[in-house]
Amino acid sequence: MSRFDGYFLRQLLVLFGFFTLVLVGVFWITRSVSLFDRVISGGQSAMVFLEFTALTLPTLIRTVMPMAVFAAAVYATNRLSRESEMTVMLATGSSPWRLARAVLVFGLSAGLMMAVISVFLRPASVDQLELRQDEVAGDVTAQLLNEGEFLHPAEGVTVYIGDIDLDGTLREVFVSDRRDGINPVSYSSATAYLVNQASGIHLVMLDGIALRYDQAGNTLSSTLFEDASYDISELTQNSSMGHRSLEAIPTVELIWDREAVSVKDDHSIGHLVDELHQRFSWIAICIAVALVGYSTLMLGSFSRFGLWPQILGAFTILVLLEGVRGFVSPFVINDPRLWGLLYLPAVMGVLVSVLFLLAAGRPLLRKRVRNGAPKPSPV
């Protein structure tokens, strides 16, 4: 690569890193608010929140990377054009095709990073995240240890704890179990303890009352007790983690063990094929959007005011390509043999870039022809 190619590539990589950090920060703040509230309200520590945040980063980075690649290509090309560097290179005889080498290398580099994230890191992180979410959902002890709140650890079960002493004693405990709609029961006690035994986790209540409603006889019976044990182990069996999600399945299994995965995790072949090729299509789209951002701006001429019409056009193309990606996915799910449609947005982006570069090179070609043609002799 020439010195200008290296300079252009460095500009692209620096801007790509900047836009990636900015976009990841914006998206992370937006998502972390709800995640923090959900984790902390479930009785978990801040370390669990940080762990969940780290496990969601590969998915977040994959989402913003194409936008960061596109923004870097547009911003770098516009800056070089505004500072006349691009104009000087074109005037010295370099064609738009020649200057596109650095953009192509940049797109390939971004595609390689996307391959590592989309094919390997993201499935592994999603799988680990789902396992940790299952463990946290099953940690009913942490869910119950919240003072002054009506908690619902399972459907039909409500728990209230007024106060928790330093030694673990629970004060003013109320439990309402409505899972049996015919005979719901409620417990109220002055003190209680959580006891972890081999048979499971039990809530041992002292000095309380149990109220049982008999719907058939329309009667309410009350029982005073000195101590009563309520098994809360069943509340840990309510996790919905029966199968892996599509995003958590390793790419190797999607390629070689698709039939077995379909039976084991209850996913259709169409969904598995769509997920597999979606991971690879993210690689191709990084290359395409880099070329689109560069080639669209090369259509404009030098201007001190920038290339805002071309920037708007490039952004419009990006939105259209993203729309096509969402449009073709249902067709692949219904008929897995149409998996090639998932690469259509990337192919369209490359073709548009080729057409724009051809159009951008015509003025230079005509100029060379005029300069090389013999001048008419004076009469």
Side-chain angles (χ1 to χ4, degrees), residues 27 36 84 98 114 129 207 230 338 373:
F27 279 79
F36 181 82
S84 304
R98 169 65 182 78
M114 175 64 79
L129 178 62
D207 299 327
Y230 179 76
L338 301 176

Side-chain angles (χ1 to χ4, degrees), residues 6 11 14 64 110 132 147 297 300 342 361 379:
Q11 295 287 318
V14 170
V64 305
R132 290 292 293 123
E147 302 177 0
L297 267 67
L342 294 173
V379 178

Side-chain angles (χ1 to χ4, degrees), residues 233-246:
S233 300
E234 297 180 358
L235 304 184
T236 65
Q237 308 297 325
N238 295 310
S239 175
S240 59
M241 279 286 297
H243 305 284
R244 291 178 299 178
S245 65
L246 288 169

Side-chain angles (χ1 to χ4, degrees), residues 92-229:
T92 58
S94 298
S95 67
W97 291 93
R98 169 65 182 78
L99 300 178
R101 289 199 310 181
V103 180
L104 180 60
V105 173
F106 167 64
L108 292 173
S109 301
L112 181 61
M113 289 184 281
M114 175 64 79
V116 175
I117 294 174
S118 180
V119 178
F120 300 105
L121 292 182
R122 181 173 178 265
S125 66
V126 173
D127 183 45
Q128 182 64 26
L129 178 62
E130 291 180 351
L131 290 176
R132 290 292 293 123
Q133 286 177 335
D134 189 35
E135 294 174 2
V136 169
D139 189 3
V140 67
T141 303
Q143 296 180 29
L144 293 177
L145 298 181
N146 286 276
E147 302 177 0
E149 296 183 24
F150 285 93
L151 307 174
H152 307 278
E155 185 177 358
V157 178
T158 301
V159 179
Y160 175 84
I161 299 175
D163 192 18
I164 302 176
D165 294 344
L166 295 178
D167 60 358
T169 303
L170 310 181
R171 305 287 183 180
E172 300 177 7
V173 177
F174 170 79
V175 178
S176 175
D177 191 343
R178 303 176 303 281
R179 289 176 292 180
D180 185 355
I182 299 178
N183 296 305
V185 60
S186 299
Y187 302 91
S188 178
S189 68
T191 59
Y193 299 91
L194 283 174
V195 179
N196 193 352
Q197 298 178 340
S199 58
I201 303 175
H202 297 266
L203 179 65
V204 179
M205 294 172 283
L206 307 176
D207 299 327
I209 183 173
L211 301 176
R212 184 179 300 273
Y213 176 68
D214 184 3
Q215 187 176 10
N218 195 24
T219 58
L220 179 66
S221 60
S222 61
T223 303
L224 297 174
F225 59 82
E226 292 184 359
D227 60 82
S229 177

Side-chain angles (χ1 to χ4, degrees), residues 23-76:
L23 292 174
V24 168
V26 172
F27 279 79
W28 178 80
I29 292 174
T30 303
R31 295 184 179 184
S32 63
V33 173
S34 59
L35 177 63
F36 181 82
D37 180 69
R38 187 167 64 252
V39 170
I40 300 301
S41 63
Q44 303 300 321
S45 64
M47 291 302 298
V48 176
F49 165 73
L50 294 177
E51 182 183 2
F52 280 13
T53 300
L55 291 175
T56 58
L57 279 179
T59 300
L60 189 57
I61 294 174
R62 193 190 78 157
T63 302
V64 305
M65 267 192 67
M67 293 183 284
V69 170
F70 174 80
V74 169
Y75 192 92

